[in-house]
Amino acid sequence: MARWEPDARGRLERAALELYSEQGFDQTTVAEIAKRAGLTKRTFFNHFADKPEVLFWGHEVLREVYETSIADAPASATPLDVLAAALQAAAALHEPRPELIRRRHVVIAAHPALQEREHLKRATVADTITSALHRRGIDEPTARLLGEIGPAVFKVAYDRWVADAAYDGRLGELVADALGSLAEVVTTSAARSATSLL
């Protein structure tokens, strides 16, 4: 078996997701993943620390995307516009891999420990957004509020995206829809509050 193969990480990821889907996460071994990918166990551990990391390895890349897009937003952008740009950048990261991401979603949804890790990932994304916004000079309470709202908005769009293949290539559109719904709710609530004070 070759010691070096092109796109070893991608091949291992695809093989793992196939096996997790076919026989379950707990029942799948690293040896089986490596064999399915046509690689060695050593190659697997060169790319992933363990089986769960196959599902979560992109988390650091996602955090970097949030940090970079928030830092690079125009100085004139409103805090909400900065958040929207960051969410769109995250959507663009996901859009080229719908099939793999849908498989990942199903595997995680079927496993409580993996769900817990997914929730933790979402919490660290919230912290990343909050810190990046605060570094732009946005006050801490506003940065924290947007940091909590951002992952929630993204999750609403993401859940629609993974549930229906008709949305392939359109995660950014769904993110915009979710942000629009949020803006509409806030505007309507503000208008009602203002009316009640008259």
Side-chain angles (χ1 to χ4, degrees):
M1 192 174 294
R3 290 179 178 273
W4 179 87
E5 295 287 346
D7 192 29
R9 178 185 286 271
R11 288 169 58 186
L12 288 163
E13 181 184 23
R14 288 189 293 273
L17 287 168
E18 287 172 5
L19 288 165
Y20 296 164
S21 300
E22 292 168 10
Q23 60 191 37
F25 175 82
D26 290 328
Q27 290 72 32
T28 300
T29 67
V30 168
E32 289 173 320
I33 295 169
K35 182 178 179 181
R36 174 73 65 95
L39 299 166
T40 65
K41 283 177 63 176
R42 181 175 181 177
T43 301
F44 178 95
F45 288 115
N46 283 340
H47 291 278
F48 302 107
D50 52 26
K51 291 194 307 177
E53 193 183 344
V54 177
L55 299 165
F56 296 100
W57 69 268
H59 179 55
E60 289 307 314
V61 176
L62 180 63
R63 291 180 64 190
E64 289 174 11
V65 165
Y66 277 115
E67 288 176 347
T68 300
S69 58
I70 289 170
D72 292 347
S76 59
T78 67
L80 193 56
D81 287 341
V82 173
L83 177 64
L87 295 176
Q88 288 294 344
L93 185 68
H94 287 72
E95 283 183 339
R97 299 160 34 93
E99 182 182 347
L100 288 179
I101 289 175
R102 286 195 181 95
R103 285 189 176 185
R104 173 189 178 276
H105 180 76
V106 171
V107 171
I108 291 172
H111 198 288
L114 296 176
Q115 289 176 41
E116 184 177 343
R117 185 159 172 176
E118 181 79 343
H119 291 315
L120 178 61
K121 183 188 88 168
R122 199 170 297 122
T124 61
V125 165
D127 289 341
T128 297
I129 293 172
T130 300
S131 297
L133 290 171
H134 194 50
R135 284 194 295 274
R136 282 183 64 93
I138 296 170
D139 63 274
E140 200 280 334
T142 301
R144 172 56 62 189
L145 176 63
L146 293 174
E148 295 295 332
I149 288 173
V153 167
F154 191 86
K155 184 177 186 304
V156 168
Y158 175 90
D159 286 348
R160 288 180 65 193
W161 186 63
V162 297
D164 189 346
Y167 288 121
D168 280 4
R170 296 168 57 196
L171 179 55
E173 178 184 326
L174 295 177
V175 167
D177 285 349
L179 283 166
S181 296
L182 175 64
E184 184 177 343
V185 169
V186 170
T187 301
T188 302
S189 297
R192 286 178 179 170
S193 296
T195 301
S196 68
L197 293 174
L198 296 178

